[in-house]
Amino acid sequence: MQTNEALDIEATANVLKLLGDKTRLTMVKIMSEHECCVCEFVDLFDMSQPAISQHLRKLKDSGIVNEARRGQWIFYSLNQTSSYYSFIQTVIKDLPSQAFKVEELTAQGKRICCD
Amino acid sequence: MQTNEALDIEATANVLKLLGDKTRLTMVKIMSEHECCVCEFVDLFDMSQPAISQHLRKLKDSGIVNEARRGQWIFYSLNQTSSYYSFIQTVIKDLPSQAFKVEELTAQGKRICCD
DNA sequence: CTAATACATAACCATATGCTTATGTACTTA
DNA sequence: TAAGTACATAAGCATATGGTTATGTATTAG
């Protein structure tokens, strides 16, 4: 197993607190598999659009995720340059894939693509 | 890297929430290196004894730590039979060792030993 | 320009969290 | 048996958290 650099214990606790919410943890797992825009998350979770935005804001403020506007949509993705990127990958590695959820979106014609 | 069994996403979020507190995360790191009794934790953290007990209770209720009474003292240690044991080991692997804290206790004659 | 869509922000509220002090219980020792 | 030590539990309180509804701001389409 790879040995990484030492992590600060307080900063790590803050990252774990962010991941310690079912919605955000699921979001992060999803983003580890696809980038996603806000309206897709709104379709995936039984929750209002502002609630989704507020979760994404916490993740963005911590530097864990990136946002990128493309036209009307803002896509969120894991920030691969974050110093916690590999740590997060390790933490979510054995969580069940959420790809099926995005496939359901596609089946319902709700998937957003900007190609 | 070893591939472990899939973890439930909600249960994992609950474990991460427990670890997402600086005090508990430090406690868990300490317990991964030594077992510890409550009065030692009280000496290690700038916090009242009930506050320490309440953190330990949360960790115990979730099954990630064990308690064992030895005489007057109750020692807490990581529960190696917990289904989250290896997950927790992975999460805390790169945190700085807290052994120096226990060494300070020993230097001050505050370390409890039941040999 | 106007309307619609996507998203963010503000204000509010109920519940959760993490501490405190006070007190109860178990064990040890004199 | 009585007192001291270690720990748990209860109650109270301030703040954090996570949701809601209402509204503001970009961007796109007509």
Side-chain angles (χ1 to χ4, degrees), chain B residues 95-114:
Chain B
L95 295 180
S97 167
Q98 301 296 303
F100 72 95
K101 290 200 173 184
V102 179
E103 287 160 15
E104 284 172 14
L105 276 191
T106 305
Q108 295 169 21
K110 293 180 173 175
R111 183 99 170 98
I112 308 294
C113 272
C114 291

Side-chain angles (χ1 to χ4, degrees), chain B residues 47-62:
Chain B
M47 203 174 295
S48 69
Q49 175 265 315
I52 297 294
S53 277
Q54 286 157 15
H55 282 302
L56 289 169
R57 188 181 214 289
K58 288 187 181 186
L59 294 172
K60 196 188 73 173
D61 286 348
S62 74

Side-chain angles (χ1 to χ4, degrees), chain B residues 69 81 104 107:
Chain B
R69 179 178 279 277
T81 71
E104 284 172 14

Side-chain angles (χ1 to χ4, degrees), chain B residues 23-58:
Chain B
T23 302
R24 285 191 299 266
L25 185 60
T26 307
M27 285 175 155
V28 166
K29 182 71 184 184
I30 289 173
M31 284 185 279
S32 75
E33 299 178 316
H34 325 258
E35 64 176 9
C36 230
C37 70
V38 181
C39 64
E40 290 172 321
F41 283 126
V42 171
D43 286 330
L44 288 173
F45 294 95
D46 185 24
M47 203 174 295
S48 69
Q49 175 265 315
I52 297 294
S53 277
Q54 286 157 15
H55 282 302
L56 289 169
R57 188 181 214 289
K58 288 187 181 186

Side-chain angles (χ1 to χ4, degrees), chain A residues 4 7 14 23 31 43 45 77 86-88 90 94-95 98 100 105 109 113:
Chain A
N4 301 304
L7 300 173
N14 289 334
T23 302
M31 285 185 279
D43 286 331
F45 294 94
S77 57
S86 68
F87 176 72
I88 290 171
T90 302
D94 292 313
L95 295 179
Q98 301 296 302
F100 72 95
L105 276 190
C113 273

